[in-house]
Amino acid sequence: MRSAYGRPSSPPRVPAPPAREALSIVSVSLLAVQSLSDISPLFLTGLLQAVVAALFMNIYIVGLNQLFDIEIDKVNKPTLPLASGEYTPATGVAIVSVFAAMSFGLGWAVGSQPLFWALFISFVLGTAYSINLPYLRWKRFAVVAALCILAVRAVIVQLAFFLHIQTFVFRRPAVFSRPLIFATGFMTFFSVVIALFKDIPDIEGDRIFGIRSFSVRLGQKKVFWICVGLLEMAYSVALLMGATSSSLWSKTVTIAGHSILAGILWSCARSVDLTSKAAITSFYMFIWKLFYAEYLLIPLVR
């Protein structure tokens, strides 16, 4: 199934969840590498196990969200497979059930506690976020929805997959290194922005179906500039991280890379037409490019 995040019928789509998940896990896993000798078949096997199990769980979470958002997606994203009628709900149920079972099966077979807990917590939060049962469907509540997304993207991905490599693959003590703390903090900002921004293009359907997102409550313009401000704050912290690094090459890459990204972000944000859904969606795609770029920089932060 295709991603459930913020896209209308014609503008470009959000980067595919498999690519996003794989890049984030590879990036965080590399933080556990201490020397070139660590890049071994053992490391690559452990990394592949984590990536595949996480991708299976991601398909479950995205698919479940589409199953319970069919009517909303007919307004916001009519080309999605369930909203368009390409897949029947029964097919959707079969797909998400199989991929959830495969994810847990692989996690159990691997035997890594950090990996299994990452899958389990993601399953619980992803289910509570979407499923329409009493006290659940947390996406209806802006703060709770944002916290769900933040917990998975900012905390679970960084900590659990790092610990999977550090403690299960390398059999080393759990150490929360400076780069790991930075990655978790930075992605906390990014996750908040994604949680807020993904609803900006979807304000029409959310308002009709009673989804009280921040965009519905505060307005698109205010949420847009809150998101830009949070990302610029994150880049400022990254510059401080680079300035205090003891490694010259890491200092240079961290400062130069984040300065360039912060400048491009500000320049692009100022040119967005906030009255155009297509322009807002295009900027959302740009935020995902920044997300990808950060995961390329994170392994170089030391």
Side-chain angles (χ1 to χ4, degrees):
M1 285 187 169
R2 286 165 280 185
S3 172
Y5 300 126
R7 53 216 173 276
S9 57
S10 54
R13 295 184 181 277
V14 172
R20 184 183 71 225
E21 294 297 324
L23 178 60
S24 61
I25 293 170
V26 171
S27 178
V28 172
S29 297
L30 286 172
L31 290 178
V33 172
Q34 298 179 3
S35 64
L36 288 178
S37 62
D38 284 341
I39 307 294
S40 62
L42 179 67
F43 169 78
L44 295 176
T45 299
L47 177 60
L48 181 62
Q49 291 168 339
V51 168
V52 173
L55 293 184
F56 288 166
M57 184 55 66
N58 181 266
I59 292 172
Y60 162 77
I61 292 171
V62 172
L64 186 73
N65 187 61
Q66 291 189 28
L67 276 170
F68 285 91
D69 274 6
I70 293 176
E71 295 305 316
I72 297 177
D73 286 341
K74 286 179 179 178
V75 177
N76 290 333
K77 310 152 195 172
T79 61
L80 289 179
L82 288 169
S84 66
E86 180 182 351
Y87 293 168
T88 65
T91 300
V93 170
I95 290 173
V96 299
S97 300
V98 168
F99 277 97
M102 289 195 300
S103 179
F104 279 123
L106 179 56
W108 184 266
V110 169
S112 168
Q113 288 192 17
L115 175 58
F116 187 84
W117 279 107
L119 299 174
F120 180 74
I121 295 172
S122 298
F123 173 85
V124 171
L125 293 180
T127 301
Y129 179 87
S130 297
I131 197 167
N132 194 10
L133 290 175
Y135 307 109
L136 298 179
R137 195 160 173 77
W138 291 349
K139 67 179 296 177
R140 293 176 298 172
F141 313 105
V143 174
V144 178
L147 288 175
C148 285
I149 295 173
L150 187 150
V152 173
R153 291 205 181 111
V155 180
I156 299 302
V157 170
Q158 268 60 241
L159 299 185
F161 292 107
F162 172 85
L163 290 174
H164 166 67
I165 299 296
Q166 177 77 1
T167 64
F168 178 76
V169 175
F170 290 152
R171 303 295 180 182
R172 294 170 181 162
V175 176
F176 296 96
S177 62
R178 184 170 178 263
L180 177 64
I181 294 171
F182 164 76
T184 304
F186 192 98
M187 286 305 169
T188 296
F189 277 88
F190 232 118
S191 298
V192 170
V193 169
I194 289 171
L196 293 175
F197 208 102
K198 75 179 184 64
D199 294 324
I200 296 178
D202 296 341
I203 189 170
E204 180 182 353
D206 289 349
R207 184 181 288 120
I208 292 172
F209 289 94
I211 303 297
R212 297 287 294 165
S213 67
F214 280 109
S215 295
V216 171
R217 296 166 63 184
L218 302 178
Q220 291 174 304
K221 182 176 181 179
K222 183 173 290 188
V223 173
F224 177 90
W225 285 109
I226 288 173
C227 291
V228 172
L230 287 173
L231 284 183
E232 293 293 357
M233 287 174 60
Y235 286 129
S236 298
V237 173
L239 293 177
L240 180 62
M241 179 75 175
T244 57
S245 173
S246 59
S247 170
L248 180 59
W249 66 265
S250 179
K251 182 193 298 282
T252 302
V253 171
T254 302
I255 292 177
H258 289 99
S259 295
I260 292 170
L261 294 178
I264 295 174
L265 168 65
W266 184 251
S267 176
C268 291
R270 293 179 62 188
S271 65
V272 174
D273 179 4
L274 295 179
T275 64
S276 168
K277 182 174 181 178
I280 294 173
T281 302
S282 178
F283 189 79
Y284 183 44
M285 304 303 139
F286 170 68
I287 288 178
W288 279 109
K289 293 177 183 177
L290 294 179
F291 181 91
Y292 273 75
E294 188 57 35
Y295 271 122
L296 294 176
L297 287 174
I298 279 175
L300 305 177
V301 175
R302 300 291 170 176

